[in-house]
Amino acid sequence: MVQIPTTDGPADAFVAHPEDGGRHPGVLMYADAFGIRPTIREMARELAGHGYYVLVPNFFHRQGPTPVVDLPEHIGEADRAALVEQVMPLIKDLTRERFQGDAEAYLDFLGAQPEVGAGPVAVTGYCIGGLLATRTAAARPEQVAALAAFHAPVAADGPESLRPLTAETHFGHAETDLGPQDLEALNRSLDAVGIAYTSEIYPGTVHGFTMSDTDAFDPAGLQHHWDRLLPLLARTLANG
């Protein structure tokens, strides 16, 4: 764990990177609304094992260090409603204006680490973290070369919010989150931006399909996610 200075105090964050003494491309990873926990750490370590420095900030840091919400070891459907009720006020409190400063602080911290190589970085995220990843890539297009978001409300800010994007992008949607018509509308917006992208519905998945500690977990969906994410990073980041 590390501490990232922000205008509203330090944000705690989890870091994973190869222990070889070298410099590696940076990846800013945003967790889902349930935050940093063993499943997220495992995913960050998996990504780091492919040669990346991975930074996972606690974006609810204003409410305290992680874990901000007490979580069971496995998040079943019986637990989800009560947990969502706890995190929704935190999401509403994280306004776009507050998050803008946080995103810049996270990227500045990532770029300043001695283990991170010079050059562009990638941003990825899950659920609400996918929306935060999209906002981050739009805020710093000159620094972010790759964007990936999974089962995320990436269109929540409207099509105009996507216009600043220059990063190569992948959006992986759950079947329960996005219908074919919504996907078509989103992809038209991405076409208008003119970036290289893929945006697809993962067959047979429900919201949260990448998270192995929830009832939503789909092993094939998680593997599909890696099959999209890793080549994207390899194409866009130096030494990826």
Side-chain angles (χ1 to χ4, degrees):
M1 299 297 294
V2 298
Q3 298 290 317
I4 303 173
T6 80
T7 55
D8 287 333
D12 51 314
F14 178 73
V15 166
H17 61 84
E19 299 288 350
D20 58 7
R23 302 181 74 188
H24 302 276
V27 179
L28 176 58
M29 175 189 286
Y30 292 107
D32 61 3
F34 297 139
I36 302 169
R37 57 195 192 279
T39 290
I40 295 295
R41 292 185 177 94
E42 179 183 343
M43 293 174 73
R45 292 189 184 104
E46 171 74 16
L47 185 52
H50 291 273
Y52 300 99
Y53 182 107
V54 184
L55 176 67
V56 189
N58 168 24
F59 47 79
F60 292 146
H61 63 88
R62 290 171 182 82
Q63 283 73 34
T66 193
V68 177
V69 174
D70 290 332
L71 297 170
E73 185 174 338
H74 182 85
I75 302 168
E77 283 306 307
D79 308 302
R80 180 174 289 275
L83 292 171
V84 169
E85 187 175 350
Q86 291 182 63
V87 301
M88 282 306 298
L90 309 183
I91 293 173
K92 291 179 180 178
D93 188 61
L94 187 61
T95 63
R96 291 190 67 178
E97 292 73 23
R98 285 180 170 178
F99 177 72
Q100 177 76 17
D102 286 352
E104 293 181 0
Y106 302 153
L107 288 173
D108 288 344
F109 181 91
L110 182 62
Q113 300 315 296
E115 300 90 354
V116 176
V121 301
V123 185
T124 186
Y126 305 86
C127 183
I128 186 62
L131 176 59
L132 301 182
T134 304
R135 289 175 176 174
T136 301
R140 286 273 187 93
E142 73 283 359
Q143 187 176 1
V144 178
L147 163 65
F150 302 91
H151 46 84
V154 292
D157 294 336
E160 288 299 316
S161 67
L162 302 173
R163 290 194 177 278
L165 292 176
T166 59
E168 184 174 345
T169 295
H170 175 72
F171 291 151
H173 313 284
E175 267 194 357
T176 57
D177 284 344
L178 205 67
Q181 290 184 332
D182 294 325
L183 178 66
E184 184 178 347
L186 172 61
N187 291 354
R188 281 199 304 268
S189 297
L190 294 170
D191 288 336
V193 175
I195 56 173
Y197 77 91
T198 53
S199 174
E200 61 182 315
I201 295 172
Y202 286 23
T205 57
V206 299
H207 181 74
F209 62 82
T210 60
M211 297 295 138
S212 63
D213 61 349
T214 74
D215 282 355
F217 179 55
D218 184 281
L222 177 62
Q223 185 58 52
H224 192 171
H225 140 281
W226 289 121
D227 291 343
R228 292 292 186 263
L229 178 59
L230 294 175
L232 171 64
L233 300 184
R235 285 194 301 273
T236 55
L237 302 185
N239 302 318

